Amino acid sequence: MTGLQGLIFDVDGTLADTERDGHRVAFNRAFAEAGLDWDWTVELYAQLLSVTGGKERILYYLENYNTGFERPVDLTGFIAGLHRDKTGHYMALMAEGAIPLRPGVRRLLEEARTAGVRLAIATTTTPENVEALIESALPKGAMDWFEVVGAGDIVPHKKPAADIYIWVLEKMGLQASQVIVFEDSAHGLTAARGAGIERVVVTVNDYTRAQDFSGALVVLENLGEPGMPAGSLFGRAPSDGVVDLAFLRGLTGPLEATAL
Ligand code: XBP
Ligand code: MG
């Protein structure tokens, strides 16, 4: 295992809890605006999250939950239009400051920057959405904190495919053994592991808590803050409940050794 050079973050569910009150709400606003009576409830959305990517998720919904919908001839164009409007609604929600970063995220980003550990993003979501969240939740110019942003349709296959992590590693010029990945979902974990990355820290949320995270080094409630330690679900958790660089640099053992 080589020294730690970079931290790669997933966005949705990892940097912030954007799915239930961000993406889901934006989808529903776009549907209503288009005159559709589709309602993606919190419960239904949990099932729809089995497919990553907003356009892919709409198609999955039509194929599995709304088969009676009379499809327009140009279904791909129809979905793309809906999704474009959804992105607009999502950006407006972020501009209102609707979703804060999760505990410990800003602290760890700032510690990494100070220490010269490189930062990157690997996400399925649309690039504009990443910028909207970062600009609303971090100081002005914080997009520059991330030297590589891998997002959306930039790769042919979205998570759980490994494409986005392979793309980000290549852009950073780093080996899989030189980075640690932060994810919130089994699909994200599978994607990172598929790219050969062994060190994956999972922080769960209500949509992902029950998923299978075997293959992660540690599964936590969140990254923790001093005085607000993170609960742990699996693996080698930090003794003080706070994920910082000292803890991450110690996460070097073989994978099997940390799976309790
Ligand atoms: C994120 C997603 C995305 C968002 C919607 O997954 O699945 O589809 O829900 O984004 P991950 P778009 O956190 O694993 O990257 O609508 O912009 O596609
Ligand atoms: Mg995620």
Side-chain angles (χ1 to χ4, degrees):
M1 196 74 69
T2 325
L4 180 62
Q5 302 290 321
L7 306 182
I8 307 178
F9 288 83
D10 168 51
V11 174
D12 297 307
T14 300
L15 291 185
D17 266 325
T18 47
E19 292 292 6
R20 193 192 66 184
D21 300 328
H23 290 294
R24 188 187 65 87
V25 171
F27 279 115
N28 281 331
R29 287 186 182 172
F31 301 154
E33 207 169 60
L36 300 165
D37 64 354
W38 308 352
D39 178 18
W40 285 8
T41 62
V42 171
E43 294 74 26
L44 172 60
Y45 197 68
Q47 298 175 47
L48 299 177
L49 280 173
S50 62
V51 170
T52 60
K55 295 187 286 294
E56 294 82 351
R57 190 168 298 143
I58 294 172
L59 181 62
Y60 176 72
Y61 166 72
L62 288 177
E63 284 175 344
N64 295 278
Y65 296 89
N66 193 350
T67 48
F69 176 67
E70 199 172 319
R71 299 171 177 208
V73 180
D74 179 13
L75 182 63
T76 307
F78 171 73
I79 290 176
L82 268 181
H83 187 253
R84 212 167 18 248
D85 293 345
K86 176 259 166 178
T87 299
H89 286 295
Y90 182 86
M91 290 173 69
L93 275 168
M94 292 305 114
E96 288 165 19
I99 316 259
L101 295 184
R102 296 190 66 191
V105 168
R106 179 167 179 171
R107 172 189 53 71
L108 181 59
L109 291 174
E110 286 179 339
E111 188 190 0
R113 270 168 57 72
T114 304
V117 174
R118 298 156 64 188
L119 298 173
I121 279 172
T123 177
T124 295
T125 203
T126 306
E128 293 94 309
N129 296 346
V130 180
E131 213 167 309
L133 172 70
I134 298 292
E135 280 178 1
S136 91
L138 285 170
K140 203 171 156 50
M143 272 311 282
D144 296 343
W145 295 11
F146 301 92
E147 68 170 74
V148 172
V149 177
D153 297 325
I154 200 158
V155 289
H157 304 292
K158 294 183 177 169
K159 300 174 191 175
D163 301 28
I164 196 68
Y165 279 105
I166 293 170
W167 189 90
V168 169
L169 284 173
E170 198 179 299
K171 288 276 169 206
M172 295 181 92
L174 290 178
Q175 304 294 316
S177 59
Q178 295 175 303
V179 302
I180 290 182
V181 160
F182 297 83
E183 274 284 355
D184 71 303
S185 72
H187 279 339
L189 170 63
T190 302
R193 294 303 316 273
I197 298 167
E198 291 204 338
R199 291 184 282 180
V200 182
V201 173
V202 172
T203 50
V204 297
N205 54 62
D206 287 345
Y207 275 134
T208 66
R209 188 176 306 280
Q211 294 178 354
D212 177 4
F213 289 117
S214 32
L217 277 190
V218 58
V219 182
L220 300 161
E221 290 288 347
N222 54 60
L223 296 178
E225 294 282 19
M228 207 180 83
S232 109
L233 286 79
F234 169 85
R236 197 171 356 136
S239 54
D240 60 357
V242 177
V243 173
D244 56 14
L245 285 182
F247 167 73
L248 293 172
R249 288 196 169 107
L251 279 180
T252 54
L255 208 51
E256 293 71 28
T258 63
L260 298 178

